[in-house]
Amino acid sequence: MARELIIEVLSEALSRAKEAGDLPEHVDPPIELQTPRDPRHGDIATSLALVLASEAGGAGRQIGEKLVSHLDLPQGVIEKIEVAGPGFINFTFSPEYLRGIVREIAAGPAEYGRTNEGEGKTLLLEFVSANPTGPVAVVQGRAGPLGDALAKLLERTGWKVSREYYVNDATNSTQVRRFAETLEARYLQQLGRGASVPEDGYQGDYVVEMAEDLVKAEGDRYLDTPEEERLSAFHDYSLKKIVDGHQRDMTAFGVEFDNWFFESSLHASGEVEAAIEVLKERGYTYEKDGAVWLKATDLGDEQDQVLVRNDGRPSYLAGDIAYHRNKFERGFDRLIDIWGPDHHGHVRRMKAGVQALGYDPSRFEILLHQIVRLFRGSEMVRMSKRAGDIVQLSSLLEDVGADAARFFFLMQSMESHLDFDLELAKKQANENPVYYVQYAHARISSILREAQERGAAVPSIDSVDFSRLEHPDELSLIRKLAEFPDEVAEAASRHEPHRMTRYSRELAAAFHLFYTNCRVLGDDGDLTAARLTLVGATQAVLRSVLDIIGVSAPETM
RNA sequence: GCGCCCGUAGCUCAGUUGGAUAGAGCGGCUGCCUUCUAAGCAGCGGGUCGCAGGUUCGAAUCCUGCCGGGCGUGCCA
């Protein structure tokens, strides 16, 4: 790859400059490259000379000139090297090198942009994991495309990724019991019995609907069942309904999981007790007020945390610690969780828990995404399961479609609040940026269809005269294609999938410009062949990007 | 109170680990379809990068202090 080559060559030039006495021996800054935003500054630039100037003294430009005089670049990659501004060294790719990229993509469209940074190491990515006390809300749904796109990015950079959804269904947890009690109250109300939803129960209409279904399916047979038995039956009933719904929502959103992990299995297998036992043995627990506590303050948390309540039930944290112990025990090299903003306070104690278990905390990362604020026009919609005014992910998908929703969710960095205007998203569906990108793909498909009909389909690589690609808009399209591998690597290593939506728009823009100014199908057979190959390469990269984002690549629009 | 996130064009947001003249989309105005899809392209207009200091060759980016918005701070999950 060109970047690695340039870094190597610069590093050699640096050594030679030192040998020649042009630079002092002791300076050894890291060599960093950047892509200038102004095309006149070339394709790749480095501020190495500026850094050297501040470390060793002297003028940036002079040091730049000296470095360049020691540069020994192989033929064919770089057309022009220039020292500019305060001392930047700018490299401009040669057309031959750029044309080689088109050849490379055409030769292996599916492999282009794949790297092996992960070296086949295994990684468990847990995301969404909405509580089984109601449908998936929009906020929680935000993690779907984030996790899915991140998984694809990591896979393309050599990681072996498993995707997992955690279901907090522990029967002895407070929220699960509260939900069953709410359903019970709604059930009794359906059958004309006096009953009221508990103080801290779930006010949402979806529980009423669930009670209606329950009456339809089971009639009044639970009216006189003993309380505990009834609650247990209602829990089983609602859990299945709700988890089925979560699975449907994820499928509708194009997000697939390798595994749905149930917290209840940890309690049943004794793993929760076992995890607490490990913490005790390692000296990270104590008893106070009848409860067992984790010494989280020893590990960076602000306060200690309860592991076992004074009534003997393990806390949510205890279950989650057991869960993460289970993840490590399954042999994953690394763990990544994506959590919603409401779990923010849980991060420190969870990391403390993992450390207390004795695992290397650097193998465990928690990514937090921020809230989604929904608007209807200018009015903000409140979202709280308990308050009942919940905007479900499924209704958003029905409203704006999965493609638009995914693109919108991935347009912003995850740590940024996301304002989503339902009316606007629906009304302006045709102006959504997702269509801009998809339209580029549809145009490409159209060209390739037309070419086929004219008997001029994409030619075999060896017969193509790539030197015919010389138009500035052709070359800038190729430049954009050339950035793809680095974009993927950056987005993956920095866990920033939103970079891909930005790249997709830039690539689409480069293509639309090319399309406007360069006619593909014409009388000049060699030119047509070269351009068809370029169009095919663009389609391949566009498909890869859309695959990562999880947005469809339509043949027609 | 404490902790985290955010504050960049009228609106919604990018900004490549500190670089060169701060960008995109939407909205506004003006051009471009007998030729592969005009859901496109080109142009115009739009900015005290929340405020004030500091660090240095260089700050939207790093540090400190303020101001504003959001979230968290349960023996809930």
Side-chain angles (χ1 to χ4, degrees), chain A residues 321-334:
Chain A
I321 289 176
Y323 176 41
H324 285 78
R325 177 166 178 262
N326 175 288
K327 290 183 185 178
F328 276 115
E329 292 302 310
R330 274 186 273 164
F332 290 101
D333 295 308
R334 285 183 66 183

Side-chain angles (χ1 to χ4, degrees), chain A residues 275-305:
Chain A
I276 294 170
E277 201 51 43
V278 171
L279 296 174
K280 276 183 187 165
E281 283 166 14
R282 292 177 54 85
Y284 283 106
T285 64
Y286 62 89
E287 289 192 29
K288 192 182 86 177
D289 302 333
V292 179
W293 294 73
L294 173 70
K295 288 186 195 167
T297 45
D298 285 4
L299 298 162
D301 203 352
E302 289 156 14
Q303 47 193 326
D304 292 340
Q305 304 292 337

Side-chain angles (χ1 to χ4, degrees), chain A residues 307-329:
Chain A
L307 289 169
V308 183
R309 287 177 267 238
N310 58 15
D311 61 7
R313 292 180 302 137
S315 68
Y316 168 73
L317 178 64
D320 223 9
I321 289 176
Y323 176 41
H324 285 78
R325 177 166 178 262
N326 175 288
K327 290 183 185 178
F328 276 115
E329 292 302 310

